[in-house]
Amino acid sequence: MLLKKTNIEEKLHALHIKHSDSDNLIQQVQEILEKDTENRNRITNNLKKELEGINNDFDFDLLETDKIYHLSKIKQICIDYRLRFLDSKYFKGEIPIEAINKIKRLEEDHQIQLKGFKIIAPSKLFQLEDKDDPLLLAPIGNNYYYLIHKWGDDLHPFRKMLMWPFKNVVNLIVLILSLSFMATLLIPENLFSKTSSSSHFWVLFFFTFKSMVAIAIFYGFAKGKNFNPAIWNSKYF
C-alpha cells in the first residue's frame, strides 16, 4: 500500500483555517500594511527635510560602537577624499529601500522617530545651491553621528591621492612646481637658445611655472572650485 505524500501547503492552510478568523485576519493584515506604508512615507519625508540642531534619543545600549563617528573624523575623511557632508534633502540620488528598512528597524528598536539625516558623498551626488559611495548618518548629540547605511560603489582607490592637491594651497603649489619641472625637462634645450646652461633652464622653468599657475587660477575661477576644507559641509557650488 502506497502512502500519500504530505503536502505542506495543504497542512499549513488547514492549520490556518482552524486557528484563525478570516475576516479579522484580513483586517489585521490591512492595518499592518497601512501602518508600514505610513512609516515609510514618514521616513521618506524626514529624509527630505533640513533640520538643524536635531539630536536623536538613541538607546546607547543597543548601538554598535563601531558605527559611531565624531564630526572631526567625518570632516577629515571629507577633506582627504573631497566629499561633502550635507543634509539628506540635498541628495539627488535615490535612497535605497535597504536604508529605509534599516531606519525602520532602528526606530522600532529604540522607540523613536529618526530625524536630521546627513549623507557623506561626492559633490556630484548632491543638488547644490548656486551662490562615487554615499553614507547615511543620523545625529546622536555632541557632534557624534551614527552610521545607518552605506550603498553604491566604493571610491576609486587613488581618489585620496588625486584629491591631495585640493586640500590646501601649499599642496597645489607643490603639484604645479613638480609638473612645471617635468614639463621643462621635456622641452628641447636648443629650442630657444643655441647654447644650453642652467640659467636658461631656470628661466624656462619660471615661465612654465607661471603658465601653469595661470591655467590653475583660470580653471579655479571658471569652475568655481575651492579647497576641500572650505567645501566639505557647504551646500553651495
Side-chain angles (χ1 to χ4, degrees), residues 107-190:
E107 290 185 338
E108 292 170 359
D109 292 342
H110 295 262
Q111 296 297 301
I112 58 175
Q113 291 187 10
L114 295 179
K115 296 178 181 178
F117 298 101
K118 297 275 190 177
I119 287 181
I120 299 175
S123 299
K124 64 181 180 180
L125 294 181
F126 288 104
Q127 187 66 49
L128 301 177
E129 296 182 9
D130 198 0
K131 184 187 172 190
D132 262 33
D133 308 313
L135 302 178
L136 177 66
L137 302 98
I140 297 175
N142 293 327
N143 287 330
Y144 282 95
Y145 291 83
Y146 188 71
L147 175 61
I148 296 175
H149 186 61
K150 171 190 176 298
W151 69 96
D153 298 326
D154 289 333
L155 294 174
H156 193 281
F158 296 123
R159 183 179 177 90
K160 183 177 181 179
M161 183 179 68
L162 293 172
M163 298 303 153
W164 179 82
F166 302 105
K167 288 182 68 174
N168 53 61
V169 67
V170 175
N171 290 5
L172 182 61
I173 291 175
V174 170
L175 175 67
I176 295 174
L177 283 170
S178 302
L179 292 176
S180 301
F181 186 80
M182 289 187 289
T184 305
L185 290 175
L186 295 175
I187 299 175
E189 294 182 358
N190 59 352

Side-chain angles (χ1 to χ4, degrees), residues 23-40:
D23 293 335
N24 188 44
L25 178 64
I26 292 175
Q27 184 178 354
Q28 289 177 358
V29 172
Q30 185 176 1
E31 290 176 355
I32 292 173
L33 293 176
E34 288 177 353
K35 183 66 175 177
D36 183 71
T37 302
E38 180 183 332
N39 285 334
R40 290 178 185 277

